[in-house]
Amino acid sequence: MSGDLLRLYGTNEREPESRTLVAGDLSVTLQDGSLRTLRFRGHEVLRAVAFLVRDKDWGTCGAKIADLQVQNEKQGFSVSYKARFTAPSGANLDCAITIWGTEKTVAFSADCVSDADFETARAGFVVLHPIVGLAGRSVTVRHGDGRVEHAHWPDQIEPWQPFKEISAITHQVAPDIAAVTELVGDIFEMEDQRNWTDGSYKTYVRPLALPWPYRVPEGEPFSQKVVVEIEAADDAAPAVGTSGAVTLQLTPTKHRFPEIGLGLRPECLEQERIALGALKTIGARHLIAHFDPGAGHGLPVLNGYAELAGQSGLKVTLEVAVPCKRPLDEEMAELAALVREAVLALDTLFVCPAVDRQSTPPGSIWPDCPPLEDVYAAARAAFPGVRLGGGMMSYFTELNRKRVPGDLIDYVSHCTNPIVHAADDLSVMQTFEALRFVVSSTRAIYGEKPYRIGPSTIAMRQNPYGSATKDNPSGGRIPMANVDARHNGQFGAAWTLAYAATVATAGLEVLTLSTLAGPFGLIAGEGEVSARGELRPLAHVLARLGTLSGQEVHAVETSRPDAVLGLASKERLLMANITPEVQAVLLPSPPRAVMLIGGETLPVTGQVSLPPYGCVEIVL
């Protein structure tokens, strides 16, 4: 079993155990002290309810749970435990938690007190509503002053909070089934969490317009509570089951598959030299070379990039964090001189003010930054004839909040990251629900402007929301981690293929889902499933994607997009199982060949059995 865990997840660490609690037609999963996937008659009501504590950099303070008591009888359940959250300073926030449920009600309360001044960016309840089935539909919000607002869930992704000062939310779960979520004990507001590719709308405590981090004073108790009430007709229909094989529908489009890029990092130059041979296998066409003068990057870094470009023959995009500390024409002219000295031929130049790598939450003061028009003009003058990209070196969130002047650039680009808020396996794979909206929202903003995404990886390469990413020496599943072991296993391969499948019809020109080497890269290190120096599983996926570049996309719609995602050309179909269970898939026509990507050939039949997180290539 240990070998299976390592093969699938790149680590032998298991996720916390979960337990399903049932009361009549209502069910919910208890995991690590939080409630997940609240359902009524099989319909998803809420994605999660959790009491969370973030440190001053928005990192998650994990709870130490003690005295856990769980009772579940036919008509109800109850849970109680004590949770201790410890800040990096050593201060502790101690909370007494009580959860109970009946056939149509769930309540979750927390009574808390700290043993010292506790510095935090947020301490309190978070409620996640799903987006599938809700986006664009009606919702009723009761505000703290008693005012009732009849509105709609955002369809395109809102850059700011769609609702503030919330005391209750009423939404339609299914025909004849509604849910009222009441929020007590603090000021709640909602953000469109799809900005970060979370598959949810998030309602949370403490408005972002208030200062953060803030201190929970020593010895001053506070309490919060969330109550969910189901309103359902006696004959309300249950959800359609998920049993049976997954079915597919393939539809030709006018889009073509993007070319594949690979990121380069200055700290990985030596490893990148060793890994150059992998480029022949991958079929990538672009190197996305990161360059940050503020981090001390200079001529030696550019010389290294020139060497890699010369040996690989790939096109180079120089991704520059512009310091904006001196006159822009001076900074850009100095950069251009270094590029010429290194004899580094650029295909494109992507520029982003260094300060824009950090997020500016709603209500915060925007940092000093030259107008983007001036940044782009200086770049054009220093690099005449080179295509210019703009957007955000960080994530769609920052691009949505600070929209760049698209008419002044040749393409727009951003990244995404699936572990900003949660890092469990299910949450990571649910990000594809939101990624669809990310690309459609970008297209709504920038129209047919050439569009690139990446480098986007499971691990976080830079933290826009705090001073640093989180170290992860034990290889755990933690938010904002700078290393994630799942990148090295079959999970990472499935995530990579599912990502490409989700954006296949967005008309991207370049998609970058890995670096060449290092913890975000293609090549295995010591103690991984693949032997040191060999290709990681996701590299085999990228190799297959590379062969599709420029071919016409056939959109793939599956009957279970929460389980199987795919993309296709006229002659080939690639699919990923994004679950830990075997998934049977009915093919639309008899195939000529079926192969596990990076693995063996499978029997040629009209049905494919996809192993957990398995990736398959089918010749149609």
Side-chain angles (χ1 to χ4, degrees):
M1 187 54 146
S2 175
D4 286 342
L5 288 173
L6 188 64
R7 180 181 61 81
L8 291 177
Y9 303 108
T11 175
N12 287 321
E13 180 180 288
R14 298 175 181 271
E15 285 201 296
E17 291 186 7
S18 63
R19 176 173 176 176
T20 300
L21 306 175
V22 179
D25 291 328
L26 185 148
S27 68
V28 67
T29 298
L30 175 68
Q31 185 179 45
D32 208 20
S34 300
L35 297 181
R36 304 287 304 268
T37 319
L38 172 60
R39 296 185 183 275
F40 184 79
R41 295 187 184 171
H43 299 280
E44 186 176 19
V45 178
L46 294 179
R47 185 138 283 183
V49 182
F51 188 89
L52 298 178
V53 177
R54 308 292 191 190
D55 66 24
K56 64 183 180 66
D57 290 319
W58 293 99
T60 300
C61 298
K64 292 183 179 178
I65 294 175
D67 300 336
L68 177 64
Q69 301 290 328
V70 181
Q71 294 183 348
N72 193 180
E73 299 177 354
K74 185 175 181 181
Q75 301 305 319
F77 57 82
S78 64
V79 179
S80 65
Y81 63 89
K82 295 177 181 177
R84 166 165 283 193
F85 302 89
T86 302
S89 66
N92 298 304
L93 182 66
D94 292 308
C95 301
I97 305 293
T98 302
I99 304 170
W100 58 266
T102 63
E103 292 178 324
K104 290 187 178 180
T105 305
V106 174
F108 194 155
S109 64
D111 298 293
C112 305
V113 65
S114 59
D115 63 6
D117 286 352
F118 190 99
E119 191 174 29
T120 177
R122 176 175 298 152
F125 275 111
V126 169
V127 177
L128 305 183
H129 284 79
I131 56 176
V132 174
L134 294 191
R137 296 191 177 181
S138 60
V139 62
T140 301
V141 178
R142 186 174 77 232
H143 297 281
D145 59 3
R147 180 172 53 92
V148 176
E149 179 182 0
H150 299 284
H152 291 82
W153 298 99
D155 188 7
Q156 298 299 331
I157 301 175
E158 291 280 358
W160 316 113
Q161 304 95 318
F163 305 112
K164 297 181 178 181
E165 297 182 352
I166 304 167
S167 63
I169 301 169
T170 302
H171 78 281
Q172 201 70 27
V173 176
D176 299 319
I177 302 175
V180 180
T181 303
E182 187 175 4
L183 309 153
V184 181
D186 209 323
I187 301 173
F188 287 77
E189 64 185 20
M190 182 187 293
E191 67 188 10
D192 193 337
Q193 212 170 202
R194 295 174 298 172
N195 274 292
W196 298 270
T197 64
D198 294 74
S200 58
Y201 301 104
K202 180 172 74 176
T203 305
Y204 55 91
V205 296
R206 189 168 173 94
L208 286 174
L210 295 177
W212 58 268
Y214 63 99
R215 293 183 184 275
V216 177
E218 176 185 354
E220 292 189 13
F222 68 90
S223 299
Q224 295 176 16
K225 188 175 185 179
V226 176
V227 181
V228 185
E229 297 277 0
I230 305 296
E231 300 173 347
D234 291 339
D235 60 349
V240 177
T242 58
S243 60
V246 177
T247 58
L248 308 175
Q249 180 176 335
L250 276 61
T251 306
T253 74
K254 295 181 180 179
H255 299 291
R256 296 190 178 275
F257 284 107
E259 296 181 345
I260 298 301
L262 291 172
L264 298 179
R265 304 284 296 179
E267 65 271 20
C268 296
L269 275 173
E270 192 56 43
Q271 295 169 283
E272 288 163 353
R273 290 186 178 97
I274 297 171
L276 268 175
L279 293 176
K280 297 178 181 179
T281 301
I282 301 305
R285 302 187 186 182
H286 297 262
L287 297 174
I288 314 301
H290 181 68
F291 190 79
D292 181 4
H297 301 167
L299 183 60
V301 169
L302 296 176
N303 283 335
Y305 290 157
E307 177 189 344
L308 295 171
Q311 293 187 38
S312 68
L314 271 59
K315 302 175 184 177
V316 175
T317 292
L318 191 63
E319 177 194 69
V320 181
V322 184
C324 300
K325 300 293 186 181
R326 297 183 287 123
L328 289 170
D329 57 348
E330 291 182 12
E331 289 188 346
M332 286 296 178
E334 183 177 291
L335 175 63
L338 290 174
V339 170
R340 287 193 297 272
E341 186 174 352
V343 195
L344 176 61
L346 299 185
D347 179 61
T348 73
L349 174 71
F350 176 84
V351 295
C352 176
V355 70
D356 281 346
R357 291 176 300 175
Q358 294 304 117
S359 184
T360 302
S364 300
I365 298 174
W366 286 88
D368 290 336
C369 182
L372 291 175
E373 291 82 355
D374 294 350
V375 175
Y376 297 156
R380 292 277 193 198
F383 292 88
V386 177
R387 290 185 71 216
L388 180 66
M392 288 295 164
M393 202 173 291
S394 52
Y395 308 132
F396 172 78
T397 319
E398 288 65 56
L399 180 64
N400 202 19
R401 289 175 176 170
K402 186 175 181 178
R403 299 181 179 182
V404 304
D407 58 327
L408 300 181
I409 52 179
D410 297 308
Y411 66 87
V412 66
S413 181
H414 66 81
C415 305
T416 69
N417 183 264
I419 60 170
V420 173
H421 295 113
D424 60 278
D425 297 339
L426 178 60
S427 294
V428 170
M429 289 305 189
Q430 285 176 334
T431 58
F432 300 118
E433 296 176 4
L435 184 59
R436 297 183 183 92
F437 287 96
V438 166
V439 294
S440 66
S441 295
T442 303
R443 280 295 180 209
I445 298 168
Y446 295 103
E448 295 304 310
K449 173 68 62 178
Y451 179 18
R452 298 182 175 194
I453 292 179
S456 294
T457 57
I458 298 177
M460 180 181 274
R461 65 173 183 154
Q462 181 252 333
N463 182 5
Y465 315 110
S467 58
T469 54
K470 301 300 176 183
D471 290 333
N472 189 16
S474 64
R477 296 165 171 86
I478 63 173
M480 298 187 182
N482 52 20
V483 174
D484 194 297
R486 290 169 296 185
H487 177 94
N488 310 334
Q490 190 58 39
F491 186 100
W495 184 85
T496 300
L497 180 48
Y499 196 115
T502 303
V503 303
T505 58
L508 300 179
E509 64 174 30
V510 179
L511 176 62
T512 304
L513 297 176
S514 171
T515 59
L516 173 57
F520 306 94
L522 305 175
I523 307 300
E526 201 69 51
E528 297 183 22
V529 172
S530 303
R532 179 179 176 85
E534 297 296 320
L535 294 176
R536 288 170 172 151
L538 87 167
H540 298 286
V541 168
L542 289 170
R544 305 321 302 149
L545 295 174
T547 63
L548 294 176
S549 295
Q551 295 188 33
E552 188 177 274
V553 174
H554 286 231
V556 178
E557 181 179 344
T558 81
S559 60
R560 287 283 313 282
D562 62 330
V564 175
L565 293 171
L567 53 83
S569 66
K570 183 177 180 181
E571 297 181 344
R572 284 191 293 158
L573 166 66
L574 307 183
M575 291 188 297
N577 177 1
I578 58 174
T579 77
E581 291 86 33
V582 174
Q583 300 292 339
V585 182
L586 289 176
L587 300 178
S589 60
R592 289 187 289 158
V594 181
M595 298 151 285
L596 284 176
I597 297 178
E600 70 270 20
T601 300
L602 299 179
V604 177
T605 67
Q607 179 171 306
V608 174
S609 181
L610 275 176
Y613 303 115
C615 299
V616 68
E617 178 182 15
I618 297 169
V619 181
L620 301 173

